[in-house]
Amino acid sequence: PVVFISARSDWETRVAAYECGGDDFLSKPVINAELLIKTKIWLERWKRQEKNQNLDYLTGLLSYTGFCLGLEKLLKHEDQVSIAFFKVRNMAEINKQSGPCEADRLLVEIGKHLGSCFPLAALRGRWSGATFVLAAAAARQDLELAMQRFHDEFCQDLEAPAGLEICFETKILSPGEII
């Protein structure tokens, strides 16, 4: 945060400080406790905003950016990471037939189901549109089996639209490799 501190407290000075990009204005003499609490509040807001930028607003999963940041951290600690992409192939058709609210409901349900099916150790994200991504320090075969189980459970247990087409692909990612 940019905090202006000045002995001048007239409205012209204050407005000029805000117009120059200031986040706050304190008049001298500054009370240390006030400066500390205002700085703490701004830092908490900044952290909250940064966290929200890394989450997908609809599904609550990691966004593309948040997933990439998490994957970067995971690759620093693991020799290999299995990654799986899956996509609702016919999302445009579902959107057209059932409307955008139903399509969004489906994306929300996928996000919830991903959260409950995969351990906290796995990264779960919405890559873009109707494409989701998972990463875990697990064998590729284990992730493929988990993805197949996710697909089967999701299509059977939840109110998935008739004709839902989900496809997925897995691969092994090593440190330094680009997706």
Side-chain angles (χ1 to χ4, degrees), residues 114-127:
L114 271 175
S116 65
C117 282
F118 292 93
L120 293 175
L123 291 174
R124 302 170 301 269
R126 183 173 173 205
W127 193 254

Side-chain angles (χ1 to χ4, degrees), residues 56-130:
D56 178 66
Y57 71 94
L58 190 61
T59 64
L61 299 173
L62 291 171
S63 65
Y64 171 84
T65 303
F67 184 86
C68 289
L69 290 171
L71 184 60
E72 189 178 304
K73 288 178 186 175
L74 187 60
L75 284 168
K76 284 182 182 176
H77 301 289
E78 302 294 337
D79 292 333
Q80 284 189 330
V81 172
S82 295
I83 190 164
F85 288 92
F86 68 100
K87 180 178 185 167
V88 178
R89 233 189 292 203
N90 58 335
M91 183 55 89
E93 190 178 307
I94 292 168
N95 194 24
K96 188 176 180 180
Q97 289 177 356
S98 304
C101 290
E102 181 61 23
D104 284 353
R105 186 196 67 77
L106 177 61
L107 294 174
V108 169
E109 288 301 318
I110 289 172
K112 285 181 188 175
H113 203 61
L114 271 175
S116 65
C117 282
F118 292 93
L120 293 175
L123 291 174
R124 302 170 301 269
R126 183 173 173 205
W127 193 254
S128 68

Side-chain angles (χ1 to χ4, degrees), residues 121-141:
L123 291 174
R124 302 170 301 269
R126 183 173 173 205
W127 193 254
S128 68
T131 302
F132 294 82
V133 62
L134 286 166
R140 182 178 182 170
Q141 298 85 345

